[in-house]
Amino acid sequence: MVEETIKTIKETEDEAERMIREADEKSAAILEEARKEAESLKNQSETDAKNKARVILDMEKQAGERSIQDALAGVEKEISVLKEKARAKESEVISAVIAELV
C-alpha cells in the first residue's frame, strides 16, 4: 500500500513536471509568435507610412507643376498682349519718326 502511494506520488510529480515543461514550451512559442507578429506589424506600418508619404509628395509635386504651368500661361498671355499693343503703336511710331525726319 505504501509502495502504491509512493508510485502514485511519483507519477503525479512526473505528470506535473511534464505539464510544466509543456507550459514553458507553449509559453515560449506564444512569445516568439507574438514577437514575429509585432515585427511584421511594425514593418507593415513603416511601409504604409512611406507609401502614404510618397503619394502626398507626388500630389504636392503635381500641384506645384500645375502652379508653374498656370504662371507660365499667365506670363505668355501678358507677353502676347504687350506684343499686340506694340504692333498697334508701331505705325504711330513710324509716322512720328518720319514726321520728325521731314
Side-chain angles (χ1 to χ4, degrees), residues 43-57:
N43 290 339
Q44 186 62 46
S45 293
E46 287 176 359
T47 300
D48 291 347
K50 286 178 184 177
N51 288 339
K52 187 175 181 181
R54 230 178 262 119
V55 167
I56 290 170
L57 180 62

Side-chain angles (χ1 to χ4, degrees), residues 2-102:
V2 172
E3 289 177 9
E4 190 174 306
T5 303
I6 293 173
K7 181 180 174 187
T8 302
I9 292 171
K10 176 70 173 145
E11 288 174 354
T12 304
E13 287 175 346
D14 290 346
E15 180 67 17
E17 287 179 19
R18 185 188 61 75
M19 290 172 71
I20 290 170
R21 278 193 308 274
E22 285 180 6
D24 285 343
E25 290 171 3
K26 285 181 181 178
S27 173
I30 289 170
L31 288 173
E32 180 62 19
E33 183 63 29
R35 186 196 64 75
K36 287 179 181 178
E37 188 172 335
E39 183 70 23
S40 176
L41 288 172
K42 177 184 153 231
N43 290 339
Q44 186 62 46
S45 293
E46 287 176 359
T47 300
D48 291 347
K50 286 178 184 177
N51 288 339
K52 187 175 181 181
R54 230 178 262 119
V55 167
I56 290 170
L57 180 62
D58 287 344
M59 289 171 54
E60 292 300 323
K61 281 183 181 178
Q62 289 174 1
E65 289 173 4
R66 280 193 300 273
S67 294
I68 290 170
Q69 291 301 320
D70 291 346
L72 286 175
V75 168
E76 288 174 357
K77 186 174 181 179
E78 285 183 42
I79 290 171
S80 178
V81 167
L82 290 173
K83 283 182 179 179
E84 202 53 47
K85 286 181 180 179
R87 273 191 226 111
K89 300 245 178 185
E90 182 179 15
S91 62
E92 289 178 31
V93 170
I94 291 173
S95 296
V97 168
I98 290 175
E100 289 293 321
L101 292 176
V102 183

